[in-house]
Amino acid sequence: MTVAEETEVTLAVGQQKDLPAVPDAAGRHTDREMHAILEIGVRGPDGAGHAGAPAPGTGPALAEVLIVDTSRSMLHPAAKLHAAKDATVAAVRMLPDGTAFAVLSGRFEAGVVHPGPGRPVLAVAGPGEREAAERAVRILDADGGTAIGAWLELARRLLKDHPAPVKHVLLLTDGRNEHDDRSRRPLETVLDACAGQFVCDAWGIGDDWDAELLLNITRRLHGRARAVRVESELTAAYEELMTGLLGTSVPELRIRLTPTPGTVIRQVKQVVPNEQELQPVPAGPGGRAAEYVTRAWGDEVRHFQVVLTADPTGRERGEDLQLAAVEIVVPDVRRPVRLPAPQPVLVRWTDNPLDASRQYPGVRRHELYQQASAAVAKAYRAWLRGTDGRDTADLALARALALAAELADTQLLGALRRIEAAPGTGRVRSGLKDVDWQHLILSSALATPPDQAAPAPPAPDQGRAGASARTGAGALGPSADGTAGPPGSAPPGSAGPAVPVRPDGLVECPDCKWLGPADSLYCGGDCGRPLREPSA
């Protein structure tokens, strides 16, 4: 197997390492927060098949459920229902042979449009099944209300026992879940049950959908919320989404964090392309490690923010120490995957307030996105108050525009300028509809990485551990030679183990006697000390 035939996963850790070791006013040391940005990329092999094409000797790689809103409002205007049918048919036509799928209609309750009553739980794509699904979709009508919890619950039951590594739901609605009380279980309870079972992308159509509803669903189910401005755009949007879905290179990728003693993992969340809180799952019996599951990776890069706390009491000042090790795990691999070497999250305790005041640019960037999203929400709430809220809405819009400019995010700037009365005025234009704000709320929930990540501030003291620390803690990007290197090899920029490798392939920390892999940069035990000397 050549490198060109492998899927490659890359990992870079970006952070500002200095944290204050100075006691508080009462003379006590308190836990300090370390924020780090993980940049994780997946790049599939050239010419490799997609997720819908199963690897030899395996079952189908994708199980797909398409949910069409068929509530009465989809007939006002009828172009919405026509567009939904066209887009659903286009998506079904793209499913490779052997793909498990179903089409559901959503009203007060959910119904199976295809394969229909009395048929297997999921259809298996082939010429006949795709044609039958198209006929069933074409005759759909609309009536009743919107109870999205019931729709997702049926999708969950259909996908629950299916072995496909990629389970995906594509949901379309024009409404606001106004009839949640008609469901057997409320939406929030259903989302709890669906979490971790499948990925859900949710789309809005028409002029009465709710952006916060779509964002809530997709944040909980690790998908993305989107919408079309005109009905005729939906088919092309679905085709683009399905192309990306069928290009899935890694169905599931786990971030494994192993903190050193005294370090606590406070939070892990995805911040690019959209914000999603990640919950830990056990990483094995008796260990300190925790794993955070992410799903459905195509050829893409995502950013994750990790927040750790630690106590400087008794720790040396001015030396790089490891707080946690970051490792990428890809379970149930169907095709060859080349994984990166583990990377450290570091800390350097300092008495210098200037050093401790620095902030890593990637962390700052995410904070700016949060502020921009909050400014958009504030402007919208003020706009809803009419003339009484006009001044507040203008101020909040101007703030969002300034933040988007600082971020150099042209997509967000363009969305904000659709709301602005005239370029440079910072005022909300008249004649807006509520749906204009819903599109802006979705746009403000997306984050883009900078074209080139800014480097971390230079360290004032690059002592004994400085060079090896920069391997995992500099600006986000590939290592010096663009590769992670084979397992067990020294990462670029290091000079090999400073302690000998034992016959069993492990290294032993000379201070705390921790045992770890031969390629460990830092001790994973009590001391967290470097285990490598810098290269010349």
Side-chain angles (χ1 to χ4, degrees), residues 337-359:
V337 176
R338 183 155 52 109
L339 298 177
Q343 298 280 355
V345 178
L346 305 172
V347 67
R348 181 166 51 214
W349 299 109
T350 178
D351 295 327
N352 187 331
L354 179 61
D355 293 342
S357 68
R358 293 189 179 98
Q359 187 178 40

Side-chain angles (χ1 to χ4, degrees), residues 148-180:
I148 294 175
W151 310 354
L152 290 173
E153 174 60 19
L154 178 55
R156 184 192 70 82
R157 295 202 307 268
L158 292 175
L159 293 170
K160 179 169 61 76
D161 297 321
H162 201 277
V166 180
K167 292 188 272 194
H168 182 261
V169 172
L170 177 50
L171 182 153
L172 174 73
T173 184
D174 75 331
R176 294 177 174 264
N177 201 37
E178 296 170 321
H179 302 98
D180 195 43

